[in-house]
Amino acid sequence: RINEARRAVDLAAQQMSQVGNEIQNNKNHQENFNNSVKNGKSVADGLLKKIRGIVAVYASIQGISKVMGLSDTMAQTTARLNLMKAEGEDVAVIQEKIFQAAERSRGSYQESADAVAKMGIMAKDAFNSTDELIGFVEQLNKQFTIAGTSQEGVSAAMLQLTQAMSSGVLRGEELNSVF
């Protein structure tokens, strides 16, 4: 019986040792899993930083592109104003008058300057002076503002008016567009 008891104790000791080994093995697996989760978080954080960097660069490029586009538009408008101005007039003074007219009429400076320049070139004979042309555009802007005309509508009407004034005839389709 003592031998049987020793075998039982030895068997129990082996089983306890096996349980201890399995617990240690599970602990090692858990630590490995925790480390891989930490590594995955580090990789995800790095990826997030890279994505943020890419978004920042893209936003910067878009901003630069818009500024360059505006700069180009302003240069074109200034060149047109220079072409249409009367002898002895200063483009900077014309631009200031346009700015003041746009402010009074709650219109866009760029749209107003573009309209003045185009009409000044295409319909030069329709106006006695640059001041008269600027006043005409100011009145148009006031009408557009009162009517609540959208920016697209303003652009379309200004195009039709410019074409009509340059040709000296306001045709039915052009008149409908302006109305």
Side-chain angles (χ1 to χ4, degrees):
R1 291 187 168 194
I2 291 182
N3 284 338
E4 286 180 20
R6 280 187 185 160
R7 278 190 226 137
V9 169
D10 285 340
L11 184 62
Q14 282 179 346
Q15 288 177 349
M16 288 298 284
S17 177
Q18 224 174 11
V19 168
N21 288 339
E22 287 180 17
I23 289 173
Q24 184 61 39
N25 192 16
N26 285 339
K27 180 184 169 200
N28 291 340
H29 284 312
Q30 185 65 45
E31 285 177 3
N32 288 339
F33 177 75
N34 290 345
N35 288 335
S36 65
V37 168
K38 286 178 187 175
N39 290 339
K41 184 181 181 305
S42 297
V43 169
D45 288 344
L47 181 60
L48 183 60
K49 286 179 184 177
K50 286 181 183 178
I51 290 172
R52 284 183 182 153
I54 290 169
V55 169
V57 168
Y58 177 76
S60 297
I61 290 171
Q62 290 299 317
I64 290 169
S65 175
K66 286 181 182 178
V67 168
M68 295 296 285
L70 179 60
S71 175
D72 187 41
T73 301
M74 293 291 290
Q76 288 176 0
T77 301
T78 301
R80 281 193 213 116
L81 289 172
N82 202 22
L83 286 174
M84 54 86 37
K85 73 180 177 80
E87 193 167 324
E89 285 184 312
D90 183 17
V91 173
V93 172
I94 294 171
Q95 288 175 321
E96 180 60 29
K97 289 178 181 179
I98 294 169
F99 178 77
Q100 294 300 324
E103 286 289 306
R104 287 190 299 270
S105 64
R106 308 290 189 260
S108 158
Y109 165 77
Q110 188 56 47
E111 290 288 325
S112 299
D114 194 45
V116 168
K118 285 179 182 176
M119 282 190 203
I121 291 170
M122 295 175 70
K124 188 178 281 191
D125 297 333
F127 301 97
N128 293 326
S129 68
T130 304
D131 289 339
E132 186 179 43
L133 173 56
I134 293 170
F136 178 74
V137 171
E138 180 179 353
Q139 292 304 314
L140 286 174
N141 281 339
K142 287 179 180 178
Q143 292 300 317
F144 292 142
T145 301
I146 290 169
T149 308
S150 70
Q151 194 62 40
E152 294 83 24
V154 170
S155 296
M158 291 302 274
L159 174 66
Q160 295 299 326
L161 273 173
T162 303
Q163 289 174 348
M165 293 182 84
S166 68
S167 69
V169 178
L170 187 60
R171 294 180 183 86
E173 194 174 306
E174 293 164 341
L175 183 61
N176 285 338
S177 177
V178 171
F179 285 148

